[in-house]
PDB file of all heavy atoms in Angstrom:
ATOM      1  N   THR A 192     -70.506-103.142-116.536  1.00  0.00           N
ATOM      2  CA  THR A 192     -70.716-101.702-116.705  1.00  0.00           C
ATOM      3  C   THR A 192     -72.069-101.238-116.196  1.00  0.00           C
ATOM      4  O   THR A 192     -72.259-100.048-115.970  1.00  0.00           O
ATOM      5  CB  THR A 192     -70.594-101.329-118.196  1.00  0.00           C
ATOM      6  OG1 THR A 192     -71.509-102.129-118.957  1.00  0.00           O
ATOM      7  CG2 THR A 192     -69.176-101.573-118.701  1.00  0.00           C
ATOM      8  N   ALA A 193     -73.016-102.139-116.039  1.00  0.00           N
ATOM      9  CA  ALA A 193     -74.357-101.754-115.610  1.00  0.00           C
ATOM     10  C   ALA A 193     -74.583-102.184-114.161  1.00  0.00           C
ATOM     11  O   ALA A 193     -73.975-103.138-113.671  1.00  0.00           O
ATOM     12  CB  ALA A 193     -75.415-102.388-116.516  1.00  0.00           C
ATOM     13  N   GLU A 194     -75.482-101.472-113.478  1.00  0.00           N
ATOM     14  CA  GLU A 194     -75.816-101.821-112.107  1.00  0.00           C
ATOM     15  C   GLU A 194     -76.621-103.120-112.067  1.00  0.00           C
ATOM     16  O   GLU A 194     -77.360-103.437-113.002  1.00  0.00           O
ATOM     17  CB  GLU A 194     -76.632-100.693-111.473  1.00  0.00           C
ATOM     18  CG  GLU A 194     -75.877 -99.372-111.347  1.00  0.00           C
ATOM     19  CD  GLU A 194     -76.741 -98.291-110.733  1.00  0.00           C
ATOM     20  OE1 GLU A 194     -77.929 -98.582-110.468  1.00  0.00           O
ATOM     21  OE2 GLU A 194     -76.238 -97.179-110.529  1.00  0.00           O
ATOM     22  N   ALA A 195     -76.443-103.876-110.989  1.00  0.00           N
ATOM     23  CA  ALA A 195     -77.192-105.112-110.824  1.00  0.00           C
ATOM     24  C   ALA A 195     -78.683-104.805-110.691  1.00  0.00           C
ATOM     25  O   ALA A 195     -79.069-103.788-110.098  1.00  0.00           O
ATOM     26  CB  ALA A 195     -76.701-105.855-109.581  1.00  0.00           C
ATOM     27  N   PRO A 196     -79.558-105.655-111.239  1.00  0.00           N
ATOM     28  CA  PRO A 196     -81.004-105.387-111.147  1.00  0.00           C
ATOM     29  C   PRO A 196     -81.486-105.447-109.705  1.00  0.00           C
ATOM     30  O   PRO A 196     -81.065-106.298-108.925  1.00  0.00           O
ATOM     31  CB  PRO A 196     -81.621-106.489-111.999  1.00  0.00           C
ATOM     32  CG  PRO A 196     -80.590-107.560-112.071  1.00  0.00           C
ATOM     33  CD  PRO A 196     -79.277-106.884-112.010  1.00  0.00           C
ATOM     34  N   MET A 197     -82.401-104.541-109.376  1.00  0.00           N
ATOM     35  CA  MET A 197     -82.961-104.461-108.023  1.00  0.00           C
ATOM     36  C   MET A 197     -84.392-104.985-107.972  1.00  0.00           C
ATOM     37  O   MET A 197     -85.053-104.885-106.936  1.00  0.00           O
ATOM     38  CB  MET A 197     -82.918-103.010-107.532  1.00  0.00           C
ATOM     39  CG  MET A 197     -81.524-102.394-107.543  1.00  0.00           C
ATOM     40  SD  MET A 197     -80.376-103.282-106.457  1.00  0.00           S
ATOM     41  CE  MET A 197     -81.067-102.868-104.849  1.00  0.00           C
ATOM     42  N   ILE A 198     -84.898-105.529-109.070  1.00  0.00           N
ATOM     43  CA  ILE A 198     -86.248-106.076-109.120  1.00  0.00           C
ATOM     44  C   ILE A 198     -86.170-107.519-109.596  1.00  0.00           C
ATOM     45  O   ILE A 198     -85.233-107.904-110.304  1.00  0.00           O
ATOM     46  CB  ILE A 198     -87.160-105.254-110.062  1.00  0.00           C
ATOM     47  CG1 ILE A 198     -86.579-105.255-111.494  1.00  0.00           C
ATOM     48  CG2 ILE A 198     -87.325-103.837-109.553  1.00  0.00           C
ATOM     49  CD1 ILE A 198     -87.484-104.608-112.510  1.00  0.00           C
ATOM     50  N   PRO A 199     -87.140-108.362-109.230  1.00  0.00           N
ATOM     51  CA  PRO A 199     -87.140-109.746-109.732  1.00  0.00           C
ATOM     52  C   PRO A 199     -87.439-109.768-111.234  1.00  0.00           C
ATOM     53  O   PRO A 199     -88.332-109.059-111.708  1.00  0.00           O
ATOM     54  CB  PRO A 199     -88.246-110.430-108.920  1.00  0.00           C
ATOM     55  CG  PRO A 199     -89.153-109.311-108.487  1.00  0.00           C
ATOM     56  CD  PRO A 199     -88.264-108.113-108.290  1.00  0.00           C
ATOM     57  N   ILE A 200     -86.699-110.576-111.964  1.00  0.00           N
ATOM     58  CA  ILE A 200     -86.854-110.652-113.417  1.00  0.00           C
ATOM     59  C   ILE A 200     -86.938-112.114-113.829  1.00  0.00           C
ATOM     60  O   ILE A 200     -86.071-112.922-113.478  1.00  0.00           O
ATOM     61  CB  ILE A 200     -85.666-109.979-114.149  1.00  0.00           C
ATOM     62  CG1 ILE A 200     -85.520-108.517-113.706  1.00  0.00           C
ATOM     63  CG2 ILE A 200     -85.858-110.057-115.657  1.00  0.00           C
ATOM     64  CD1 ILE A 200     -84.307-107.827-114.295  1.00  0.00           C
ATOM     65  N   GLU A 201     -87.995-112.454-114.581  1.00  0.00           N
ATOM     66  CA  GLU A 201     -88.123-113.792-115.136  1.00  0.00           C
ATOM     67  C   GLU A 201     -87.248-113.915-116.387  1.00  0.00           C
ATOM     68  O   GLU A 201     -87.058-112.931-117.112  1.00  0.00           O
ATOM     69  CB  GLU A 201     -89.577-114.089-115.501  1.00  0.00           C
ATOM     70  CG  GLU A 201     -90.522-114.118-114.311  1.00  0.00           C
ATOM     71  CD  GLU A 201     -90.190-115.257-113.359  1.00  0.00           C
ATOM     72  OE1 GLU A 201     -89.729-116.320-113.847  1.00  0.00           O
ATOM     73  OE2 GLU A 201     -90.378-115.092-112.133  1.00  0.00           O
ATOM     74  N   PRO A 202     -86.707-115.106-116.661  1.00  0.00           N
ATOM     75  CA  PRO A 202     -85.810-115.256-117.819  1.00  0.00           C
ATOM     76  C   PRO A 202     -86.422-114.817-119.143  1.00  0.00           C
ATOM     77  O   PRO A 202     -85.732-114.250-119.991  1.00  0.00           O
ATOM     78  CB  PRO A 202     -85.502-116.764-117.823  1.00  0.00           C
ATOM     79  CG  PRO A 202     -85.684-117.192-116.409  1.00  0.00           C
ATOM     80  CD  PRO A 202     -86.815-116.349-115.877  1.00  0.00           C
ATOM     81  N   ASP A 203     -87.739-115.065-119.334  1.00  0.00           N
ATOM     82  CA  ASP A 203     -88.365-114.751-120.620  1.00  0.00           C
ATOM     83  C   ASP A 203     -88.943-113.331-120.671  1.00  0.00           C
ATOM     84  O   ASP A 203     -89.554-112.960-121.679  1.00  0.00           O
ATOM     85  CB  ASP A 203     -89.484-115.747-120.919  1.00  0.00           C
ATOM     86  CG  ASP A 203     -88.939-117.125-121.252  1.00  0.00           C
ATOM     87  OD1 ASP A 203     -87.767-117.203-121.677  1.00  0.00           O
ATOM     88  OD2 ASP A 203     -89.679-118.116-121.084  1.00  0.00           O
ATOM     89  N   GLU A 204     -88.792-112.561-119.613  1.00  0.00           N
ATOM     90  CA  GLU A 204     -89.305-111.197-119.640  1.00  0.00           C
ATOM     91  C   GLU A 204     -88.525-110.349-120.645  1.00  0.00           C
ATOM     92  O   GLU A 204     -87.328-110.501-120.815  1.00  0.00           O
ATOM     93  CB  GLU A 204     -89.216-110.565-118.252  1.00  0.00           C
ATOM     94  CG  GLU A 204     -90.320-110.957-117.300  1.00  0.00           C
ATOM     95  CD  GLU A 204     -90.371-110.054-116.073  1.00  0.00           C
ATOM     96  OE1 GLU A 204     -90.797-108.883-116.214  1.00  0.00           O
ATOM     97  OE2 GLU A 204     -89.984-110.520-114.985  1.00  0.00           O
ATOM     98  N   GLY A 205     -89.243-109.421-121.252  1.00  0.00           N
ATOM     99  CA  GLY A 205     -88.605-108.549-122.206  1.00  0.00           C
ATOM    100  C   GLY A 205     -89.628-107.826-123.046  1.00  0.00           C
ATOM    101  O   GLY A 205     -90.831-107.952-122.820  1.00  0.00           O
ATOM    102  N   PRO A 206     -89.195-107.072-124.015  1.00  0.00           N
ATOM    103  CA  PRO A 206     -87.799-106.818-124.391  1.00  0.00           C
ATOM    104  C   PRO A 206     -87.029-106.034-123.324  1.00  0.00           C
ATOM    105  O   PRO A 206     -87.624-105.433-122.426  1.00  0.00           O
ATOM    106  CB  PRO A 206     -87.922-106.019-125.687  1.00  0.00           C
ATOM    107  CG  PRO A 206     -89.326-106.203-126.155  1.00  0.00           C
ATOM    108  CD  PRO A 206     -90.140-106.416-124.922  1.00  0.00           C
ATOM    109  N   VAL A 207     -85.690-106.014-123.480  1.00  0.00           N
ATOM    110  CA  VAL A 207     -84.791-105.283-122.603  1.00  0.00           C
ATOM    111  C   VAL A 207     -84.101-104.195-123.433  1.00  0.00           C
ATOM    112  O   VAL A 207     -83.521-104.496-124.472  1.00  0.00           O
ATOM    113  CB  VAL A 207     -83.736-106.220-121.981  1.00  0.00           C
ATOM    114  CG1 VAL A 207     -82.769-105.433-121.120  1.00  0.00           C
ATOM    115  CG2 VAL A 207     -84.410-107.328-121.181  1.00  0.00           C
ATOM    116  N   MET A 208     -84.221-102.958-122.966  1.00  0.00           N
ATOM    117  CA  MET A 208     -83.546-101.857-123.653  1.00  0.00           C
ATOM    118  C   MET A 208     -82.339-101.416-122.828  1.00  0.00           C
ATOM    119  O   MET A 208     -82.436-101.233-121.619  1.00  0.00           O
ATOM    120  CB  MET A 208     -84.487-100.662-123.855  1.00  0.00           C
ATOM    121  CG  MET A 208     -83.841 -99.525-124.653  1.00  0.00           C
ATOM    122  SD  MET A 208     -84.964 -98.129-124.965  1.00  0.00           S
ATOM    123  CE  MET A 208     -85.086 -97.420-123.321  1.00  0.00           C
ATOM    124  N   VAL A 209     -81.205-101.255-123.496  1.00  0.00           N
ATOM    125  CA  VAL A 209     -79.970-100.805-122.860  1.00  0.00           C
ATOM    126  C   VAL A 209     -79.599 -99.452-123.455  1.00  0.00           C
ATOM    127  O   VAL A 209     -79.657 -99.266-124.677  1.00  0.00           O
ATOM    128  CB  VAL A 209     -78.832-101.818-123.086  1.00  0.00           C
ATOM    129  CG1 VAL A 209     -77.546-101.355-122.382  1.00  0.00           C
ATOM    130  CG2 VAL A 209     -79.234-103.204-122.604  1.00  0.00           C
ATOM    131  N   THR A 210     -79.248 -98.499-122.593  1.00  0.00           N
ATOM    132  CA  THR A 210     -78.781 -97.192-123.069  1.00  0.00           C
ATOM    133  C   THR A 210     -77.368 -96.950-122.560  1.00  0.00           C
ATOM    134  O   THR A 210     -77.002 -97.366-121.455  1.00  0.00           O
ATOM    135  CB  THR A 210     -79.699 -96.058-122.576  1.00  0.00           C
ATOM    136  OG1 THR A 210     -79.659 -96.000-121.141  1.00  0.00           O
ATOM    137  CG2 THR A 210     -81.132 -96.273-123.053  1.00  0.00           C
ATOM    138  N   VAL A 211     -76.564 -96.297-123.392  1.00  0.00           N
ATOM    139  CA  VAL A 211     -75.188 -95.946-123.038  1.00  0.00           C
ATOM    140  C   VAL A 211     -75.000 -94.461-123.350  1.00  0.00           C
ATOM    141  O   VAL A 211     -75.284 -94.027-124.478  1.00  0.00           O
ATOM    142  CB  VAL A 211     -74.156 -96.786-123.817  1.00  0.00           C
ATOM    143  CG1 VAL A 211     -72.743 -96.508-123.300  1.00  0.00           C
ATOM    144  CG2 VAL A 211     -74.479 -98.270-123.743  1.00  0.00           C
ATOM    145  N   GLU A 212     -74.545 -93.708-122.378  1.00  0.00           N
ATOM    146  CA  GLU A 212     -74.401 -92.255-122.509  1.00  0.00           C
ATOM    147  C   GLU A 212     -72.928 -91.898-122.746  1.00  0.00           C
ATOM    148  O   GLU A 212     -72.052 -92.312-121.989  1.00  0.00           O
ATOM    149  CB  GLU A 212     -74.908 -91.566-121.247  1.00  0.00           C
ATOM    150  CG  GLU A 212     -74.920 -90.055-121.317  1.00  0.00           C
ATOM    151  CD  GLU A 212     -75.398 -89.435-120.015  1.00  0.00           C
ATOM    152  OE1 GLU A 212     -74.892 -89.847-118.940  1.00  0.00           O
ATOM    153  OE2 GLU A 212     -76.285 -88.564-120.061  1.00  0.00           O
ATOM    154  N   TYR A 213     -72.675 -91.136-123.818  1.00  0.00           N
ATOM    155  CA  TYR A 213     -71.320 -90.706-124.157  1.00  0.00           C
ATOM    156  C   TYR A 213     -71.254 -89.179-124.182  1.00  0.00           C
ATOM    157  O   TYR A 213     -72.211 -88.507-124.607  1.00  0.00           O
ATOM    158  CB  TYR A 213     -70.902 -91.214-125.546  1.00  0.00           C
ATOM    159  CG  TYR A 213     -70.965 -92.710-125.742  1.00  0.00           C
ATOM    160  CD1 TYR A 213     -72.116 -93.315-126.287  1.00  0.00           C
ATOM    161  CD2 TYR A 213     -69.897 -93.527-125.418  1.00  0.00           C
ATOM    162  CE1 TYR A 213     -72.177 -94.678-126.497  1.00  0.00           C
ATOM    163  CE2 TYR A 213     -69.952 -94.905-125.621  1.00  0.00           C
ATOM    164  CZ  TYR A 213     -71.094 -95.468-126.156  1.00  0.00           C
ATOM    165  OH  TYR A 213     -71.159 -96.813-126.358  1.00  0.00           O
ATOM    166  N   PHE A 214     -70.106 -88.657-123.770  1.00  0.00           N
ATOM    167  CA  PHE A 214     -69.807 -87.241-123.930  1.00  0.00           C
ATOM    168  C   PHE A 214     -68.571 -87.139-124.822  1.00  0.00           C
ATOM    169  O   PHE A 214     -67.491 -87.646-124.475  1.00  0.00           O
ATOM    170  CB  PHE A 214     -69.551 -86.570-122.577  1.00  0.00           C
ATOM    171  CG  PHE A 214     -70.780 -86.479-121.717  1.00  0.00           C
ATOM    172  CD1 PHE A 214     -71.075 -87.458-120.771  1.00  0.00           C
ATOM    173  CD2 PHE A 214     -71.664 -85.411-121.872  1.00  0.00           C
ATOM    174  CE1 PHE A 214     -72.209 -87.376-119.985  1.00  0.00           C
ATOM    175  CE2 PHE A 214     -72.814 -85.326-121.094  1.00  0.00           C
ATOM    176  CZ  PHE A 214     -73.090 -86.310-120.149  1.00  0.00           C
ATOM    177  N   VAL A 215     -68.756 -86.474-125.983  1.00  0.00           N
ATOM    178  CA  VAL A 215     -67.721 -86.473-127.019  1.00  0.00           C
ATOM    179  C   VAL A 215     -67.416 -85.041-127.430  1.00  0.00           C
ATOM    180  O   VAL A 215     -68.325 -84.190-127.496  1.00  0.00           O
ATOM    181  CB  VAL A 215     -68.198 -87.288-128.256  1.00  0.00           C
ATOM    182  CG1 VAL A 215     -67.150 -87.274-129.359  1.00  0.00           C
ATOM    183  CG2 VAL A 215     -68.538 -88.719-127.859  1.00  0.00           C
ATOM    184  N   ASP A 216     -66.153 -84.784-127.705  1.00  0.00           N
ATOM    185  CA  ASP A 216     -65.741 -83.479-128.221  1.00  0.00           C
ATOM    186  C   ASP A 216     -66.442 -83.250-129.565  1.00  0.00           C
ATOM    187  O   ASP A 216     -66.280 -84.064-130.492  1.00  0.00           O
ATOM    188  CB  ASP A 216     -64.220 -83.453-128.396  1.00  0.00           C
ATOM    189  CG  ASP A 216     -63.708 -82.098-128.870  1.00  0.00           C
ATOM    190  OD1 ASP A 216     -64.530 -81.210-129.184  1.00  0.00           O
ATOM    191  OD2 ASP A 216     -62.478 -81.935-128.938  1.00  0.00           O
ATOM    192  N   PRO A 217     -67.236 -82.186-129.719  1.00  0.00           N
ATOM    193  CA  PRO A 217     -67.942 -81.956-130.991  1.00  0.00           C
ATOM    194  C   PRO A 217     -67.017 -81.929-132.194  1.00  0.00           C
ATOM    195  O   PRO A 217     -67.440 -82.265-133.306  1.00  0.00           O
ATOM    196  CB  PRO A 217     -68.625 -80.602-130.768  1.00  0.00           C
ATOM    197  CG  PRO A 217     -68.813 -80.507-129.288  1.00  0.00           C
ATOM    198  CD  PRO A 217     -67.608 -81.185-128.704  1.00  0.00           C
ATOM    199  N   ALA A 218     -65.763 -81.540-131.998  1.00  0.00           N
ATOM    200  CA  ALA A 218     -64.821 -81.494-133.118  1.00  0.00           C
ATOM    201  C   ALA A 218     -64.493 -82.902-133.632  1.00  0.00           C
ATOM    202  O   ALA A 218     -64.000 -83.053-134.755  1.00  0.00           O
ATOM    203  CB  ALA A 218     -63.543 -80.775-132.703  1.00  0.00           C
ATOM    204  N   ARG A 219     -64.751 -83.910-132.810  1.00  0.00           N
ATOM    205  CA  ARG A 219     -64.442 -85.290-133.206  1.00  0.00           C
ATOM    206  C   ARG A 219     -65.717 -86.077-133.535  1.00  0.00           C
ATOM    207  O   ARG A 219     -65.708 -87.299-133.581  1.00  0.00           O
ATOM    208  CB  ARG A 219     -63.681 -85.994-132.082  1.00  0.00           C
ATOM    209  CG  ARG A 219     -62.413 -85.279-131.634  1.00  0.00           C
ATOM    210  CD  ARG A 219     -61.718 -86.048-130.520  1.00  0.00           C
ATOM    211  NE  ARG A 219     -61.225 -87.333-130.975  1.00  0.00           N
ATOM    212  CZ  ARG A 219     -60.825 -88.321-130.163  1.00  0.00           C
ATOM    213  NH1 ARG A 219     -60.927 -88.158-128.848  1.00  0.00           N
ATOM    214  NH2 ARG A 219     -60.366 -89.457-130.652  1.00  0.00           N
ATOM    215  N   ALA A 220     -66.797 -85.372-133.780  1.00  0.00           N
ATOM    216  CA  ALA A 220     -68.082 -86.031-133.989  1.00  0.00           C
ATOM    217  C   ALA A 220     -68.071 -86.953-135.203  1.00  0.00           C
ATOM    218  O   ALA A 220     -68.644 -88.047-135.169  1.00  0.00           O
ATOM    219  CB  ALA A 220     -69.184 -84.977-134.140  1.00  0.00           C
ATOM    220  N   GLU A 221     -67.405 -86.552-136.278  1.00  0.00           N
ATOM    221  CA  GLU A 221     -67.406 -87.369-137.499  1.00  0.00           C
ATOM    222  C   GLU A 221     -66.672 -88.692-137.272  1.00  0.00           C
ATOM    223  O   GLU A 221     -67.144 -89.758-137.680  1.00  0.00           O
ATOM    224  CB  GLU A 221     -66.765 -86.594-138.639  1.00  0.00           C
ATOM    225  CG  GLU A 221     -66.832 -87.322-139.980  1.00  0.00           C
ATOM    226  CD  GLU A 221     -66.308 -86.488-141.132  1.00  0.00           C
ATOM    227  OE1 GLU A 221     -66.123 -85.268-140.945  1.00  0.00           O
ATOM    228  OE2 GLU A 221     -66.092 -87.056-142.211  1.00  0.00           O
ATOM    229  N   ALA A 222     -65.518 -88.626-136.612  1.00  0.00           N
ATOM    230  CA  ALA A 222     -64.775 -89.852-136.328  1.00  0.00           C
ATOM    231  C   ALA A 222     -65.554 -90.750-135.369  1.00  0.00           C
ATOM    232  O   ALA A 222     -65.559 -91.983-135.511  1.00  0.00           O
ATOM    233  CB  ALA A 222     -63.402 -89.509-135.755  1.00  0.00           C
ATOM    234  N   PHE A 223     -66.224 -90.148-134.383  1.00  0.00           N
ATOM    235  CA  PHE A 223     -67.040 -90.925-133.455  1.00  0.00           C
ATOM    236  C   PHE A 223     -68.169 -91.626-134.185  1.00  0.00           C
ATOM    237  O   PHE A 223     -68.484 -92.802-133.901  1.00  0.00           O
ATOM    238  CB  PHE A 223     -67.591 -89.996-132.370  1.00  0.00           C
ATOM    239  CG  PHE A 223     -68.500 -90.670-131.385  1.00  0.00           C
ATOM    240  CD1 PHE A 223     -68.006 -91.588-130.469  1.00  0.00           C
ATOM    241  CD2 PHE A 223     -69.868 -90.393-131.361  1.00  0.00           C
ATOM    242  CE1 PHE A 223     -68.838 -92.217-129.554  1.00  0.00           C
ATOM    243  CE2 PHE A 223     -70.708 -91.011-130.457  1.00  0.00           C
ATOM    244  CZ  PHE A 223     -70.195 -91.928-129.549  1.00  0.00           C
ATOM    245  N   ALA A 224     -68.777 -90.954-135.152  1.00  0.00           N
ATOM    246  CA  ALA A 224     -69.870 -91.552-135.913  1.00  0.00           C
ATOM    247  C   ALA A 224     -69.401 -92.787-136.677  1.00  0.00           C
ATOM    248  O   ALA A 224     -70.138 -93.784-136.796  1.00  0.00           O
ATOM    249  CB  ALA A 224     -70.466 -90.525-136.873  1.00  0.00           C
ATOM    250  N   GLN A 225     -68.180 -92.758-137.201  1.00  0.00           N
ATOM    251  CA  GLN A 225     -67.656 -93.922-137.921  1.00  0.00           C
ATOM    252  C   GLN A 225     -67.488 -95.119-136.986  1.00  0.00           C
ATOM    253  O   GLN A 225     -67.816 -96.255-137.342  1.00  0.00           O
ATOM    254  CB  GLN A 225     -66.323 -93.563-138.578  1.00  0.00           C
ATOM    255  CG  GLN A 225     -66.444 -92.536-139.691  1.00  0.00           C
ATOM    256  CD  GLN A 225     -65.100 -92.165-140.284  1.00  0.00           C
ATOM    257  OE1 GLN A 225     -64.045 -92.612-139.816  1.00  0.00           O
ATOM    258  NE2 GLN A 225     -65.104 -91.338-141.319  1.00  0.00           N
ATOM    259  N   VAL A 226     -66.978 -94.858-135.768  1.00  0.00           N
ATOM    260  CA  VAL A 226     -66.830 -95.940-134.801  1.00  0.00           C
ATOM    261  C   VAL A 226     -68.196 -96.486-134.403  1.00  0.00           C
ATOM    262  O   VAL A 226     -68.373 -97.700-134.234  1.00  0.00           O
ATOM    263  CB  VAL A 226     -66.051 -95.454-133.564  1.00  0.00           C
ATOM    264  CG1 VAL A 226     -66.066 -96.504-132.454  1.00  0.00           C
ATOM    265  CG2 VAL A 226     -64.620 -95.112-133.942  1.00  0.00           C
ATOM    266  N   MET A 227     -69.185 -95.619-134.290  1.00  0.00           N
ATOM    267  CA  MET A 227     -70.517 -96.074-133.904  1.00  0.00           C
ATOM    268  C   MET A 227     -71.203 -96.853-135.033  1.00  0.00           C
ATOM    269  O   MET A 227     -72.060 -97.708-134.768  1.00  0.00           O
ATOM    270  CB  MET A 227     -71.376 -94.892-133.463  1.00  0.00           C
ATOM    271  CG  MET A 227     -70.868 -94.201-132.206  1.00  0.00           C
ATOM    272  SD  MET A 227     -70.538 -95.338-130.833  1.00  0.00           S
ATOM    273  CE  MET A 227     -72.210 -95.835-130.398  1.00  0.00           C
ATOM    274  N   GLN A 228     -70.838 -96.573-136.276  1.00  0.00           N
ATOM    275  CA  GLN A 228     -71.345 -97.405-137.367  1.00  0.00           C
ATOM    276  C   GLN A 228     -70.841 -98.840-137.213  1.00  0.00           C
ATOM    277  O   GLN A 228     -71.595 -99.806-137.399  1.00  0.00           O
ATOM    278  CB  GLN A 228     -70.905 -96.831-138.723  1.00  0.00           C
ATOM    279  CG  GLN A 228     -71.675 -95.604-139.166  1.00  0.00           C
ATOM    280  CD  GLN A 228     -73.091 -95.936-139.630  1.00  0.00           C
ATOM    281  OE1 GLN A 228     -73.480 -97.094-139.712  1.00  0.00           O
ATOM    282  NE2 GLN A 228     -73.867 -94.909-139.926  1.00  0.00           N
ATOM    283  N   ALA A 229     -69.556 -98.977-136.873  1.00  0.00           N
ATOM    284  CA  ALA A 229     -69.014-100.313-136.612  1.00  0.00           C
ATOM    285  C   ALA A 229     -69.668-100.932-135.387  1.00  0.00           C
ATOM    286  O   ALA A 229     -69.908-102.148-135.350  1.00  0.00           O
ATOM    287  CB  ALA A 229     -67.499-100.225-136.432  1.00  0.00           C
ATOM    288  N   THR A 230     -69.982-100.110-134.391  1.00  0.00           N
ATOM    289  CA  THR A 230     -70.659-100.595-133.189  1.00  0.00           C
ATOM    290  C   THR A 230     -72.047-101.122-133.527  1.00  0.00           C
ATOM    291  O   THR A 230     -72.479-102.155-133.011  1.00  0.00           O
ATOM    292  CB  THR A 230     -70.750 -99.476-132.145  1.00  0.00           C
ATOM    293  OG1 THR A 230     -69.434 -99.061-131.782  1.00  0.00           O
ATOM    294  CG2 THR A 230     -71.492 -99.932-130.904  1.00  0.00           C
ATOM    295  N   ARG A 231     -72.760-100.387-134.373  1.00  0.00           N
ATOM    296  CA  ARG A 231     -74.096-100.835-134.791  1.00  0.00           C
ATOM    297  C   ARG A 231     -74.025-102.228-135.421  1.00  0.00           C
ATOM    298  O   ARG A 231     -74.820-103.117-135.058  1.00  0.00           O
ATOM    299  CB  ARG A 231     -74.681 -99.846-135.802  1.00  0.00           C
ATOM    300  CG  ARG A 231     -76.006-100.304-136.411  1.00  0.00           C
ATOM    301  CD  ARG A 231     -76.464 -99.330-137.494  1.00  0.00           C
ATOM    302  NE  ARG A 231     -77.718 -99.765-138.085  1.00  0.00           N
ATOM    303  CZ  ARG A 231     -77.819-100.623-139.102  1.00  0.00           C
ATOM    304  NH1 ARG A 231     -76.714-101.133-139.640  1.00  0.00           N
ATOM    305  NH2 ARG A 231     -78.996-100.964-139.581  1.00  0.00           N
ATOM    306  N   ALA A 232     -73.075-102.435-136.349  1.00  0.00           N
ATOM    307  CA  ALA A 232     -72.954-103.741-136.990  1.00  0.00           C
ATOM    308  C   ALA A 232     -72.603-104.821-135.965  1.00  0.00           C
ATOM    309  O   ALA A 232     -73.129-105.936-136.014  1.00  0.00           O
ATOM    310  CB  ALA A 232     -71.900-103.683-138.095  1.00  0.00           C
ATOM    311  N   ALA A 233     -71.717-104.481-135.021  1.00  0.00           N
ATOM    312  CA  ALA A 233     -71.314-105.456-134.005  1.00  0.00           C
ATOM    313  C   ALA A 233     -72.488-105.834-133.104  1.00  0.00           C
ATOM    314  O   ALA A 233     -72.695-107.015-132.786  1.00  0.00           O
ATOM    315  CB  ALA A 233     -70.171-104.900-133.172  1.00  0.00           C
TER     316      ALA A 233
END
């Protein structure tokens, strides 16, 4: 899902932050929040 890195990276370099952008129907925000709670635990 992410683009391949374009810079040299050492194995121990970090931390690494990953962001994921979602567009959700505001009417379904509560149900989405429940799924994201499970995502957080996972």
Side-chain angles (χ1 to χ4, degrees):
T192 55
E194 296 179 357
M197 303 299 291
I198 60 174
I200 303 175
E201 296 295 327
D203 289 337
E204 280 194 73
V207 177
M208 184 177 71
V209 182
T210 63
V211 187
E212 185 182 48
Y213 303 94
F214 292 94
V215 179
D216 183 353
R219 305 180 66 194
E221 185 175 347
F223 177 70
Q225 293 178 356
V226 171
M227 295 309 290
Q228 284 286 355
T230 299
R231 174 185 180 274

